[in-house]
Amino acid sequence: MNSDLSRLVDPDSGESIRPVAGADALVGAGGRRYPVIGGIPRFVPPENYALAFGLQWKRFPKTQLDSYTGLRLSEDRLARCLRGELGGLAGKRVLEAGSGAGRFTEVLLKYGATVDSFDYSAAVDANAENNGDHPKLTLVQADIRRIPFPQASYDVVVCLGVLQHTPDPEQSIRCLWEMVKPGGVLVIDHYRRKLRNYLPPPIGVAGMVYRWIILRLPGDRQFAAVKRIVDFWFPLMWRFRDSKLAQFVIARFSPVVMYYPHFGLRDRQMYYEWMLLDTHDAMTDTYKHRRTPGQMYRFLRSLRPCPSSEPVVTAGGNGVEAFCRKPG
């Protein structure tokens, strides 16, 4: 990992940056210095709106990796979003925006892509732990609105599970579109806007109330609070896991994400890990945006240069999934 940092550019000027002799830092335009910590260049301050995500992925560095679960959950999701192009990634350059602990990084590298990956949070440390020995991976901590890689240079730009947590999803998508080279593709997803998201419990989803409470706790107390909530609800949900009626009733009051039996995880402990991880994810995100498939389609059609074909936008997976090709 990071054996060659020559492709990195200053995120503000787009000019090349260079390492500082005898120091763990890179120098950009105007003498701006970017620290290199743990072998990873850092282009954002350590304290930022994604702090909770960084702590989350350090606690659960392997939970969602296919190599850990023995399943193809990440690979199947990536293959669906790539619309049949996963098998053709060998030798292509891919930009991964928002890597988390590297669940999709692992799959992209497995299929032979050369991957430039970044995350806004300290989750890059977990990704380095999981995929850092791979020679085709360049990994940095950076902002999706200030990407330190050359524009218009990627065959594929992938951003899954991220856009809804950024301050301005449309701005983020524009920045990603600038990274796609002519003929390349942009692959994204986003939370879907539904009426039930805005209905109060017990009619709708209880998670909105819990999230409101959790976000008002100090950052160092949020995980413990979420864990107490999950530890309260999980035994009840697990006991009645095969009863659709019971799960329907429990879901009116519980904020815990329930994946049984859809994911096919191997045991109770693995389901507990996934549900704790994603419940924490859902309660501690500073930003939580939602878009309808129609909104996403219309926005992608408005990009400049216009997509070379109709964007493919579908409801499913994380909410809304989209595939868009830049004119060649």
PDB file of all heavy atoms in Angstrom, residues 20-56:
ATOM      1  N   VAL A  20       8.402  15.301   2.195  1.00  0.00           N
ATOM      2  CA  VAL A  20       9.400  16.119   2.866  1.00  0.00           C
ATOM      3  C   VAL A  20      10.523  15.209   3.338  1.00  0.00           C
ATOM      4  O   VAL A  20      10.271  14.233   4.055  1.00  0.00           O
ATOM      5  CB  VAL A  20       8.787  16.859   4.066  1.00  0.00           C
ATOM      6  CG1 VAL A  20       9.851  17.691   4.779  1.00  0.00           C
ATOM      7  CG2 VAL A  20       7.638  17.739   3.613  1.00  0.00           C
ATOM      8  N   ALA A  21      11.729  15.495   2.924  1.00  0.00           N
ATOM      9  CA  ALA A  21      12.870  14.669   3.304  1.00  0.00           C
ATOM     10  C   ALA A  21      13.027  14.647   4.821  1.00  0.00           C
ATOM     11  O   ALA A  21      13.061  15.697   5.474  1.00  0.00           O
ATOM     12  CB  ALA A  21      14.149  15.209   2.652  1.00  0.00           C
ATOM     13  N   GLY A  22      13.084  13.423   5.364  1.00  0.00           N
ATOM     14  CA  GLY A  22      13.294  13.267   6.797  1.00  0.00           C
ATOM     15  C   GLY A  22      12.081  13.577   7.648  1.00  0.00           C
ATOM     16  O   GLY A  22      12.208  13.672   8.881  1.00  0.00           O
ATOM     17  N   ALA A  23      10.933  13.768   7.049  1.00  0.00           N
ATOM     18  CA  ALA A  23       9.720  14.077   7.827  1.00  0.00           C
ATOM     19  C   ALA A  23       8.540  13.278   7.289  1.00  0.00           C
ATOM     20  O   ALA A  23       8.480  12.962   6.108  1.00  0.00           O
ATOM     21  CB  ALA A  23       9.412  15.572   7.758  1.00  0.00           C
ATOM     22  N   ASP A  24       7.615  12.958   8.189  1.00  0.00           N
ATOM     23  CA  ASP A  24       6.404  12.242   7.788  1.00  0.00           C
ATOM     24  C   ASP A  24       5.358  13.248   7.342  1.00  0.00           C
ATOM     25  O   ASP A  24       4.372  13.527   8.026  1.00  0.00           O
ATOM     26  CB  ASP A  24       5.883  11.399   8.949  1.00  0.00           C
ATOM     27  CG  ASP A  24       6.787  10.217   9.250  1.00  0.00           C
ATOM     28  OD1 ASP A  24       7.447   9.740   8.317  1.00  0.00           O
ATOM     29  OD2 ASP A  24       6.838   9.800  10.426  1.00  0.00           O
ATOM     30  N   ALA A  25       5.580  13.807   6.153  1.00  0.00           N
ATOM     31  CA  ALA A  25       4.664  14.825   5.638  1.00  0.00           C
ATOM     32  C   ALA A  25       4.834  14.951   4.138  1.00  0.00           C
ATOM     33  O   ALA A  25       5.845  14.542   3.562  1.00  0.00           O
ATOM     34  CB  ALA A  25       4.916  16.174   6.318  1.00  0.00           C
ATOM     35  N   LEU A  26       3.802  15.517   3.511  1.00  0.00           N
ATOM     36  CA  LEU A  26       3.846  15.885   2.101  1.00  0.00           C
ATOM     37  C   LEU A  26       3.675  17.394   2.017  1.00  0.00           C
ATOM     38  O   LEU A  26       2.995  18.005   2.841  1.00  0.00           O
ATOM     39  CB  LEU A  26       2.720  15.193   1.330  1.00  0.00           C
ATOM     40  CG  LEU A  26       2.695  13.661   1.357  1.00  0.00           C
ATOM     41  CD1 LEU A  26       1.409  13.144   0.715  1.00  0.00           C
ATOM     42  CD2 LEU A  26       3.896  13.077   0.665  1.00  0.00           C
ATOM     43  N   VAL A  27       4.277  17.984   1.009  1.00  0.00           N
ATOM     44  CA  VAL A  27       4.187  19.423   0.825  1.00  0.00           C
ATOM     45  C   VAL A  27       3.477  19.716  -0.486  1.00  0.00           C
ATOM     46  O   VAL A  27       3.846  19.183  -1.538  1.00  0.00           O
ATOM     47  CB  VAL A  27       5.583  20.083   0.817  1.00  0.00           C
ATOM     48  CG1 VAL A  27       5.456  21.580   0.530  1.00  0.00           C
ATOM     49  CG2 VAL A  27       6.267  19.871   2.162  1.00  0.00           C
ATOM     50  N   GLY A  28       2.457  20.579  -0.410  1.00  0.00           N
ATOM     51  CA  GLY A  28       1.695  20.935  -1.586  1.00  0.00           C
ATOM     52  C   GLY A  28       1.951  22.363  -2.011  1.00  0.00           C
ATOM     53  O   GLY A  28       2.967  22.972  -1.648  1.00  0.00           O
ATOM     54  N   ALA A  29       1.019  22.911  -2.762  1.00  0.00           N
ATOM     55  CA  ALA A  29       1.165  24.265  -3.298  1.00  0.00           C
ATOM     56  C   ALA A  29       1.278  25.278  -2.171  1.00  0.00           C
ATOM     57  O   ALA A  29       0.587  25.185  -1.152  1.00  0.00           O
ATOM     58  CB  ALA A  29      -0.030  24.597  -4.186  1.00  0.00           C
ATOM     59  N   GLY A  30       2.166  26.239  -2.361  1.00  0.00           N
ATOM     60  CA  GLY A  30       2.335  27.289  -1.369  1.00  0.00           C
ATOM     61  C   GLY A  30       2.931  26.816  -0.067  1.00  0.00           C
ATOM     62  O   GLY A  30       2.808  27.494   0.955  1.00  0.00           O
ATOM     63  N   GLY A  31       3.556  25.632  -0.078  1.00  0.00           N
ATOM     64  CA  GLY A  31       4.178  25.123   1.139  1.00  0.00           C
ATOM     65  C   GLY A  31       3.232  24.456   2.108  1.00  0.00           C
ATOM     66  O   GLY A  31       3.615  24.131   3.236  1.00  0.00           O
ATOM     67  N   ARG A  32       1.986  24.246   1.705  1.00  0.00           N
ATOM     68  CA  ARG A  32       1.030  23.587   2.596  1.00  0.00           C
ATOM     69  C   ARG A  32       1.501  22.164   2.903  1.00  0.00           C
ATOM     70  O   ARG A  32       1.838  21.403   1.989  1.00  0.00           O
ATOM     71  CB  ARG A  32      -0.354  23.547   1.949  1.00  0.00           C
ATOM     72  CG  ARG A  32      -1.453  23.038   2.883  1.00  0.00           C
ATOM     73  CD  ARG A  32      -2.728  22.767   2.099  1.00  0.00           C
ATOM     74  NE  ARG A  32      -3.194  23.962   1.430  1.00  0.00           N
ATOM     75  CZ  ARG A  32      -4.038  24.832   1.973  1.00  0.00           C
ATOM     76  NH1 ARG A  32      -4.481  24.640   3.198  1.00  0.00           N
ATOM     77  NH2 ARG A  32      -4.428  25.891   1.284  1.00  0.00           N
ATOM     78  N   ARG A  33       1.489  21.785   4.174  1.00  0.00           N
ATOM     79  CA  ARG A  33       1.981  20.474   4.599  1.00  0.00           C
ATOM     80  C   ARG A  33       0.815  19.576   4.992  1.00  0.00           C
ATOM     81  O   ARG A  33      -0.139  20.011   5.647  1.00  0.00           O
ATOM     82  CB  ARG A  33       2.948  20.611   5.777  1.00  0.00           C
ATOM     83  CG  ARG A  33       4.243  21.329   5.435  1.00  0.00           C
ATOM     84  CD  ARG A  33       5.016  21.678   6.701  1.00  0.00           C
ATOM     85  NE  ARG A  33       5.496  20.489   7.393  1.00  0.00           N
ATOM     86  CZ  ARG A  33       6.723  19.999   7.259  1.00  0.00           C
ATOM     87  NH1 ARG A  33       7.600  20.572   6.439  1.00  0.00           N
ATOM     88  NH2 ARG A  33       7.108  18.932   7.939  1.00  0.00           N
ATOM     89  N   TYR A  34       0.923  18.325   4.569  1.00  0.00           N
ATOM     90  CA  TYR A  34      -0.069  17.314   4.927  1.00  0.00           C
ATOM     91  C   TYR A  34       0.647  16.176   5.647  1.00  0.00           C
ATOM     92  O   TYR A  34       1.560  15.569   5.093  1.00  0.00           O
ATOM     93  CB  TYR A  34      -0.773  16.790   3.678  1.00  0.00           C
ATOM     94  CG  TYR A  34      -1.470  17.871   2.883  1.00  0.00           C
ATOM     95  CD1 TYR A  34      -0.892  18.403   1.724  1.00  0.00           C
ATOM     96  CD2 TYR A  34      -2.692  18.377   3.296  1.00  0.00           C
ATOM     97  CE1 TYR A  34      -1.531  19.394   0.996  1.00  0.00           C
ATOM     98  CE2 TYR A  34      -3.342  19.367   2.581  1.00  0.00           C
ATOM     99  CZ  TYR A  34      -2.752  19.878   1.430  1.00  0.00           C
ATOM    100  OH  TYR A  34      -3.381  20.874   0.720  1.00  0.00           O
ATOM    101  N   PRO A  35       0.253  15.864   6.876  1.00  0.00           N
ATOM    102  CA  PRO A  35       0.953  14.822   7.632  1.00  0.00           C
ATOM    103  C   PRO A  35       0.720  13.432   7.053  1.00  0.00           C
ATOM    104  O   PRO A  35      -0.312  13.159   6.433  1.00  0.00           O
ATOM    105  CB  PRO A  35       0.355  14.951   9.032  1.00  0.00           C
ATOM    106  CG  PRO A  35      -1.001  15.527   8.807  1.00  0.00           C
ATOM    107  CD  PRO A  35      -0.860  16.463   7.636  1.00  0.00           C
ATOM    108  N   VAL A  36       1.696  12.566   7.251  1.00  0.00           N
ATOM    109  CA  VAL A  36       1.569  11.147   6.917  1.00  0.00           C
ATOM    110  C   VAL A  36       1.648  10.387   8.234  1.00  0.00           C
ATOM    111  O   VAL A  36       2.699  10.352   8.877  1.00  0.00           O
ATOM    112  CB  VAL A  36       2.675  10.684   5.957  1.00  0.00           C
ATOM    113  CG1 VAL A  36       2.539   9.184   5.671  1.00  0.00           C
ATOM    114  CG2 VAL A  36       2.630  11.483   4.664  1.00  0.00           C
ATOM    115  N   ILE A  37       0.531   9.795   8.631  1.00  0.00           N
ATOM    116  CA  ILE A  37       0.434   9.112   9.923  1.00  0.00           C
ATOM    117  C   ILE A  37       0.093   7.649   9.680  1.00  0.00           C
ATOM    118  O   ILE A  37      -0.884   7.342   9.004  1.00  0.00           O
ATOM    119  CB  ILE A  37      -0.639   9.759  10.812  1.00  0.00           C
ATOM    120  CG1 ILE A  37      -0.320  11.243  11.012  1.00  0.00           C
ATOM    121  CG2 ILE A  37      -0.728   9.047  12.162  1.00  0.00           C
ATOM    122  CD1 ILE A  37      -1.425  12.002  11.732  1.00  0.00           C
ATOM    123  N   GLY A  38       0.936   6.767  10.213  1.00  0.00           N
ATOM    124  CA  GLY A  38       0.713   5.339   9.983  1.00  0.00           C
ATOM    125  C   GLY A  38       0.850   4.962   8.530  1.00  0.00           C
ATOM    126  O   GLY A  38       0.217   4.003   8.075  1.00  0.00           O
ATOM    127  N   GLY A  39       1.671   5.727   7.803  1.00  0.00           N
ATOM    128  CA  GLY A  39       1.873   5.454   6.385  1.00  0.00           C
ATOM    129  C   GLY A  39       0.776   5.979   5.490  1.00  0.00           C
ATOM    130  O   GLY A  39       0.806   5.766   4.280  1.00  0.00           O
ATOM    131  N   ILE A  40      -0.202   6.705   6.063  1.00  0.00           N
ATOM    132  CA  ILE A  40      -1.358   7.191   5.308  1.00  0.00           C
ATOM    133  C   ILE A  40      -1.355   8.720   5.270  1.00  0.00           C
ATOM    134  O   ILE A  40      -1.416   9.360   6.327  1.00  0.00           O
ATOM    135  CB  ILE A  40      -2.672   6.700   5.935  1.00  0.00           C
ATOM    136  CG1 ILE A  40      -2.695   5.170   5.990  1.00  0.00           C
ATOM    137  CG2 ILE A  40      -3.874   7.218   5.154  1.00  0.00           C
ATOM    138  CD1 ILE A  40      -3.884   4.603   6.752  1.00  0.00           C
ATOM    139  N   PRO A  41      -1.288   9.336   4.090  1.00  0.00           N
ATOM    140  CA  PRO A  41      -1.397  10.790   4.002  1.00  0.00           C
ATOM    141  C   PRO A  41      -2.764  11.264   4.492  1.00  0.00           C
ATOM    142  O   PRO A  41      -3.791  10.667   4.174  1.00  0.00           O
ATOM    143  CB  PRO A  41      -1.217  11.069   2.505  1.00  0.00           C
ATOM    144  CG  PRO A  41      -0.468   9.883   1.985  1.00  0.00           C
ATOM    145  CD  PRO A  41      -0.971   8.719   2.781  1.00  0.00           C
ATOM    146  N   ARG A  42      -2.749  12.354   5.260  1.00  0.00           N
ATOM    147  CA  ARG A  42      -3.987  12.870   5.855  1.00  0.00           C
ATOM    148  C   ARG A  42      -4.243  14.282   5.320  1.00  0.00           C
ATOM    149  O   ARG A  42      -3.456  15.200   5.561  1.00  0.00           O
ATOM    150  CB  ARG A  42      -3.879  12.906   7.374  1.00  0.00           C
ATOM    151  CG  ARG A  42      -3.274  11.641   8.004  1.00  0.00           C
ATOM    152  CD  ARG A  42      -4.254  10.506   8.100  1.00  0.00           C
ATOM    153  NE  ARG A  42      -3.609   9.286   8.598  1.00  0.00           N
ATOM    154  CZ  ARG A  42      -4.234   8.299   9.215  1.00  0.00           C
ATOM    155  NH1 ARG A  42      -5.551   8.383   9.428  1.00  0.00           N
ATOM    156  NH2 ARG A  42      -3.587   7.217   9.619  1.00  0.00           N
ATOM    157  N   PHE A  43      -5.361  14.445   4.625  1.00  0.00           N
ATOM    158  CA  PHE A  43      -5.707  15.729   4.024  1.00  0.00           C
ATOM    159  C   PHE A  43      -6.864  16.415   4.750  1.00  0.00           C
ATOM    160  O   PHE A  43      -7.411  17.401   4.250  1.00  0.00           O
ATOM    161  CB  PHE A  43      -6.056  15.540   2.549  1.00  0.00           C
ATOM    162  CG  PHE A  43      -4.895  15.073   1.716  1.00  0.00           C
ATOM    163  CD1 PHE A  43      -4.634  13.723   1.538  1.00  0.00           C
ATOM    164  CD2 PHE A  43      -4.038  15.990   1.112  1.00  0.00           C
ATOM    165  CE1 PHE A  43      -3.562  13.292   0.762  1.00  0.00           C
ATOM    166  CE2 PHE A  43      -2.968  15.580   0.337  1.00  0.00           C
ATOM    167  CZ  PHE A  43      -2.721  14.228   0.165  1.00  0.00           C
ATOM    168  N   VAL A  44      -7.258  15.866   5.888  1.00  0.00           N
ATOM    169  CA  VAL A  44      -8.345  16.452   6.685  1.00  0.00           C
ATOM    170  C   VAL A  44      -7.914  16.475   8.146  1.00  0.00           C
ATOM    171  O   VAL A  44      -7.049  15.709   8.566  1.00  0.00           O
ATOM    172  CB  VAL A  44      -9.648  15.635   6.541  1.00  0.00           C
ATOM    173  CG1 VAL A  44     -10.138  15.638   5.102  1.00  0.00           C
ATOM    174  CG2 VAL A  44      -9.466  14.209   7.031  1.00  0.00           C
ATOM    175  N   PRO A  45      -8.517  17.345   8.958  1.00  0.00           N
ATOM    176  CA  PRO A  45      -8.192  17.368  10.384  1.00  0.00           C
ATOM    177  C   PRO A  45      -8.711  16.106  11.070  1.00  0.00           C
ATOM    178  O   PRO A  45      -9.708  15.516  10.639  1.00  0.00           O
ATOM    179  CB  PRO A  45      -8.912  18.622  10.888  1.00  0.00           C
ATOM    180  CG  PRO A  45     -10.023  18.841   9.917  1.00  0.00           C
ATOM    181  CD  PRO A  45      -9.477  18.395   8.584  1.00  0.00           C
ATOM    182  N   PRO A  46      -8.046  15.669  12.148  1.00  0.00           N
ATOM    183  CA  PRO A  46      -8.490  14.451  12.836  1.00  0.00           C
ATOM    184  C   PRO A  46      -9.877  14.576  13.453  1.00  0.00           C
ATOM    185  O   PRO A  46     -10.605  13.586  13.561  1.00  0.00           O
ATOM    186  CB  PRO A  46      -7.409  14.235  13.907  1.00  0.00           C
ATOM    187  CG  PRO A  46      -6.756  15.567  14.081  1.00  0.00           C
ATOM    188  CD  PRO A  46      -6.827  16.238  12.743  1.00  0.00           C
ATOM    189  N   GLU A  47     -10.264  15.781  13.855  1.00  0.00           N
ATOM    190  CA  GLU A  47     -11.600  15.997  14.410  1.00  0.00           C
ATOM    191  C   GLU A  47     -12.508  16.508  13.294  1.00  0.00           C
ATOM    192  O   GLU A  47     -12.306  17.604  12.778  1.00  0.00           O
ATOM    193  CB  GLU A  47     -11.544  17.019  15.548  1.00  0.00           C
ATOM    194  CG  GLU A  47     -10.677  16.594  16.724  1.00  0.00           C
ATOM    195  CD  GLU A  47     -11.326  15.494  17.537  1.00  0.00           C
ATOM    196  OE1 GLU A  47     -12.578  15.442  17.576  1.00  0.00           O
ATOM    197  OE2 GLU A  47     -10.594  14.687  18.125  1.00  0.00           O
ATOM    198  N   ASN A  48     -13.503  15.701  12.906  1.00  0.00           N
ATOM    199  CA  ASN A  48     -14.400  16.111  11.829  1.00  0.00           C
ATOM    200  C   ASN A  48     -15.757  15.454  12.020  1.00  0.00           C
ATOM    201  O   ASN A  48     -15.959  14.663  12.950  1.00  0.00           O
ATOM    202  CB  ASN A  48     -13.797  15.769  10.458  1.00  0.00           C
ATOM    203  CG  ASN A  48     -13.461  14.288  10.306  1.00  0.00           C
ATOM    204  OD1 ASN A  48     -14.336  13.436  10.446  1.00  0.00           O
ATOM    205  ND2 ASN A  48     -12.195  13.975  10.052  1.00  0.00           N
ATOM    206  N   TYR A  49     -16.706  15.745  11.141  1.00  0.00           N
ATOM    207  CA  TYR A  49     -18.078  15.276  11.336  1.00  0.00           C
ATOM    208  C   TYR A  49     -18.218  13.759  11.222  1.00  0.00           C
ATOM    209  O   TYR A  49     -19.240  13.193  11.603  1.00  0.00           O
ATOM    210  CB  TYR A  49     -19.044  15.977  10.377  1.00  0.00           C
ATOM    211  CG  TYR A  49     -18.892  15.619   8.907  1.00  0.00           C
ATOM    212  CD1 TYR A  49     -19.395  14.427   8.396  1.00  0.00           C
ATOM    213  CD2 TYR A  49     -18.274  16.491   8.017  1.00  0.00           C
ATOM    214  CE1 TYR A  49     -19.282  14.102   7.059  1.00  0.00           C
ATOM    215  CE2 TYR A  49     -18.149  16.181   6.678  1.00  0.00           C
ATOM    216  CZ  TYR A  49     -18.647  14.986   6.204  1.00  0.00           C
ATOM    217  OH  TYR A  49     -18.524  14.668   4.871  1.00  0.00           O
ATOM    218  N   ALA A  50     -17.192  13.086  10.697  1.00  0.00           N
ATOM    219  CA  ALA A  50     -17.247  11.625  10.555  1.00  0.00           C
ATOM    220  C   ALA A  50     -16.479  10.907  11.659  1.00  0.00           C
ATOM    221  O   ALA A  50     -16.148   9.732  11.522  1.00  0.00           O
ATOM    222  CB  ALA A  50     -16.690  11.226   9.190  1.00  0.00           C
ATOM    223  N   LEU A  51     -16.211  11.596  12.759  1.00  0.00           N
ATOM    224  CA  LEU A  51     -15.427  11.005  13.839  1.00  0.00           C
ATOM    225  C   LEU A  51     -16.046   9.701  14.341  1.00  0.00           C
ATOM    226  O   LEU A  51     -15.345   8.717  14.573  1.00  0.00           O
ATOM    227  CB  LEU A  51     -15.296  12.006  14.986  1.00  0.00           C
ATOM    228  CG  LEU A  51     -14.433  11.577  16.175  1.00  0.00           C
ATOM    229  CD1 LEU A  51     -12.987  11.384  15.749  1.00  0.00           C
ATOM    230  CD2 LEU A  51     -14.525  12.611  17.299  1.00  0.00           C
ATOM    231  N   ALA A  52     -17.362   9.678  14.511  1.00  0.00           N
ATOM    232  CA  ALA A  52     -18.029   8.473  15.018  1.00  0.00           C
ATOM    233  C   ALA A  52     -17.848   7.292  14.075  1.00  0.00           C
ATOM    234  O   ALA A  52     -17.706   6.142  14.514  1.00  0.00           O
ATOM    235  CB  ALA A  52     -19.517   8.744  15.235  1.00  0.00           C
ATOM    236  N   PHE A  53     -17.848   7.558  12.757  1.00  0.00           N
ATOM    237  CA  PHE A  53     -17.640   6.480  11.794  1.00  0.00           C
ATOM    238  C   PHE A  53     -16.241   5.886  11.929  1.00  0.00           C
ATOM    239  O   PHE A  53     -16.046   4.674  11.821  1.00  0.00           O
ATOM    240  CB  PHE A  53     -17.851   6.991  10.372  1.00  0.00           C
ATOM    241  CG  PHE A  53     -19.291   7.214  10.008  1.00  0.00           C
ATOM    242  CD1 PHE A  53     -19.664   8.291   9.225  1.00  0.00           C
ATOM    243  CD2 PHE A  53     -20.287   6.359  10.446  1.00  0.00           C
ATOM    244  CE1 PHE A  53     -20.996   8.506   8.888  1.00  0.00           C
ATOM    245  CE2 PHE A  53     -21.613   6.560  10.120  1.00  0.00           C
ATOM    246  CZ  PHE A  53     -21.969   7.640   9.341  1.00  0.00           C
ATOM    247  N   GLY A  54     -15.242   6.746  12.121  1.00  0.00           N
ATOM    248  CA  GLY A  54     -13.885   6.248  12.287  1.00  0.00           C
ATOM    249  C   GLY A  54     -13.768   5.333  13.486  1.00  0.00           C
ATOM    250  O   GLY A  54     -13.174   4.241  13.410  1.00  0.00           O
ATOM    251  N   LEU A  55     -14.339   5.752  14.614  1.00  0.00           N
ATOM    252  CA  LEU A  55     -14.317   4.921  15.815  1.00  0.00           C
ATOM    253  C   LEU A  55     -15.089   3.624  15.588  1.00  0.00           C
ATOM    254  O   LEU A  55     -14.694   2.547  16.063  1.00  0.00           O
ATOM    255  CB  LEU A  55     -14.918   5.702  16.989  1.00  0.00           C
ATOM    256  CG  LEU A  55     -14.157   6.971  17.399  1.00  0.00           C
ATOM    257  CD1 LEU A  55     -14.938   7.726  18.475  1.00  0.00           C
ATOM    258  CD2 LEU A  55     -12.755   6.630  17.890  1.00  0.00           C
ATOM    259  N   GLN A  56     -16.177   3.718  14.848  1.00  0.00           N
ATOM    260  CA  GLN A  56     -17.006   2.542  14.568  1.00  0.00           C
ATOM    261  C   GLN A  56     -16.239   1.484  13.806  1.00  0.00           C
ATOM    262  O   GLN A  56     -16.232   0.302  14.169  1.00  0.00           O
ATOM    263  CB  GLN A  56     -18.218   3.000  13.770  1.00  0.00           C
ATOM    264  CG  GLN A  56     -19.032   1.908  13.103  1.00  0.00           C
ATOM    265  CD  GLN A  56     -20.154   2.496  12.278  1.00  0.00           C
ATOM    266  OE1 GLN A  56     -21.070   3.096  12.823  1.00  0.00           O
ATOM    267  NE2 GLN A  56     -20.098   2.355  10.957  1.00  0.00           N
TER     268      GLN A  56
END
